[in-house]
Amino acid sequence: AGSHGPPVGGKEVRIVDPETGAPLAAGQEGEICVRGPTLFSHYDGQEPAACVDREGFFHTGDLGRLDERGALHFLGRIKDVIKSAGVNIAAAEVEAVLLAHPAVGAAHVVGVPDAARGENVAAFVVLSTPVSADDLLAQCRAHLASYKVPRHLWERTADALPQKATGKVDKPRLRED
């Protein structure tokens, strides 16, 4: 129930290290790659080699893992992955934990530069009812590994969040903030 299930219809899914392209074992998080008879050959205006690797796998740019049954678990976009002290952290996972708190109406998590760790986890929250930062961080500590708990937490109103023309929150601008 918590996954997207195994591949069907002759499709193959594998998880690879986003930097090296090396296949990863079940349970490890990495880039989702797909191959199969109904996969497109290339994007319009691009050569096929720019879209698929030598083995015919399309690199989706999505972060996920396969469980021991081969079921796919989608974790978010790779560009939304925070790299802290050599560990990949899916912003979507931290956002989901923050959103599970009844006082949080919206949560947006980004990586911010840190000289020692590479990046730190930073969260911007829109509250529906008042709550302390300590309460929100306690929620995170109860449901996340310690390295995934935000080191920075800011409250914003919904209208104070920077937005793209599409109406989505502009995470690069949040990172700058």
Side-chain angles (χ1 to χ4, degrees):
S3 77
H4 293 281
V8 296
K11 293 174 184 64
E12 297 175 68
V13 175
R14 73 176 176 187
I15 306 298
V16 302
D17 182 298
E19 294 175 12
T20 67
L24 298 173
Q28 292 186 296
E29 297 175 4
E31 184 176 14
I32 301 169
C33 298
V34 296
R35 175 171 71 179
T38 59
L39 184 66
F40 64 91
S41 63
H42 63 281
Y43 285 114
D44 186 41
Q46 290 187 9
E47 293 296 319
C51 301
V52 296
D53 64 22
R54 288 185 301 263
E55 296 177 57
F57 279 90
F58 171 66
H59 292 248
T60 65
D62 294 325
L63 181 71
R65 65 179 171 79
L66 293 172
D67 64 22
E68 65 283 347
R69 298 173 299 120
L72 177 64
H73 296 260
F74 174 81
L75 302 172
R77 295 286 297 156
I78 286 187
K79 67 181 179 182
D80 290 336
V81 171
I82 300 159
K83 296 184 180 191
S84 184
V87 178
N88 292 335
I89 302 165
E93 180 183 6
V94 181
E95 289 168 350
V97 168
L98 286 165
L99 286 169
H101 193 287
V104 176
H108 305 283
V109 174
V110 297
V112 294
D114 180 80
R117 302 175 65 81
E119 289 182 304
N120 280 329
V121 177
F124 294 82
V125 294
V126 176
L127 300 178
S128 53
T129 59
V131 67
S132 72
D134 288 340
D135 284 346
L136 294 177
L137 293 173
Q139 165 90 0
C140 291
R141 285 187 199 97
H143 298 283
L144 295 168
S146 61
Y147 61 88
K148 296 179 181 182
V149 174
R151 290 180 177 256
H152 310 282
L153 182 67
W154 296 283
E155 180 184 349
R156 292 285 190 270
T157 59
D159 61 343
L161 293 170
Q163 293 191 345
K164 296 180 178 185
T166 60
K168 294 177 97 177
V169 171
D170 188 340
K171 285 192 170 187
R173 283 197 39 217
L174 280 181
R175 195 173 288 110
E176 290 173 14
D177 287 353

